[in-house]
Amino acid sequence: MNAVIQFLDTPDGAFGILADEEGRVLASGWTDDAAALVARLTPALRPASVEPGEVGAAAEAARAYYAGDVSAIDEVRVLQHGGAFHQLGWAALRTIPAGSPLSYQEFAAALGRPSAVRAAASACARNAPALFVPCHRVLRTDGSLGGFAWGTPVKQSLLARESRAATPTP
């Protein structure tokens, strides 16, 4: 498999999107380092080559997200490789509404395994197509940010942006 990478300028810094030939996002994050994105992939999804180019719908969705349409990322196609629980977790992350984050405990319960908090957190930690699979919408039980592969300042910025977008204007 070959991949294309595109970097966008965002208020949170450079945002890289790595996509396969079909336009599915393999990895994305707040970096201008292609190797950092490739490193997030499981060996089964590591491309034979990575060339600069246009990633199409994914770049358009990221731009729209930063322009205020936080739901623009919802339909972007992604491809991830992992076990059944991680696949379930990644699909569930895409159903968490913007502006309504869950705790890791609530996320585990939503997956039907309320005692599997660490496994639920692992699904977040191993999520390669950040933003498009919004793992930033999961917080610690006490409401604090917890970890984020791209740094907690980016996570806080994303959550604040989504909170503003979800709050009706009087």
Side-chain angles (χ1 to χ4, degrees):
M1 165 181 35
N2 297 315
V4 174
I5 194 160
Q6 183 175 356
F7 296 99
L8 308 175
D9 290 324
T10 76
D12 295 317
F15 181 69
I17 305 170
L18 181 70
D20 69 3
E21 299 101 340
E22 297 179 39
R24 297 174 296 188
V25 176
L26 303 172
S28 54
W30 290 264
T31 183
D32 59 3
D33 180 359
L37 292 174
V38 171
R40 301 274 308 150
L41 298 173
T42 61
L45 289 181
R46 290 203 178 127
S49 69
V50 175
E51 301 295 329
E54 300 286 323
V55 296
E60 290 172 24
R63 286 185 187 108
Y65 175 91
Y66 274 101
D69 180 4
V70 296
S71 66
I73 60 171
D74 294 348
E75 300 304 317
V76 172
R77 294 182 316 142
V78 300
L79 179 62
Q80 297 197 77
H81 183 71
F85 187 78
H86 281 132
Q87 292 290 340
L88 178 67
W90 295 327
L93 286 168
R94 298 192 90 183
T95 68
I96 300 171
S100 301
L102 298 178
S103 70
Y104 287 106
Q105 190 170 20
E106 292 168 328
F107 182 52
L111 297 175
R113 304 234 341 247
S115 64
V117 175
R118 286 188 180 173
S122 173
C124 293
R126 293 184 182 177
N127 176 44
L131 185 63
F132 305 105
V133 178
C135 57
H136 62 273
R137 295 181 185 159
V138 183
L139 308 172
R140 288 184 175 155
T141 302
D142 67 3
S144 63
L145 293 179
F148 188 58
W150 305 105
T152 54
V154 172
K155 184 172 184 173
Q156 178 61 49
S157 174
L158 298 172
L159 291 169
R161 176 174 282 101
E162 292 176 357
S163 178
R164 287 190 302 271
T167 304
T169 306

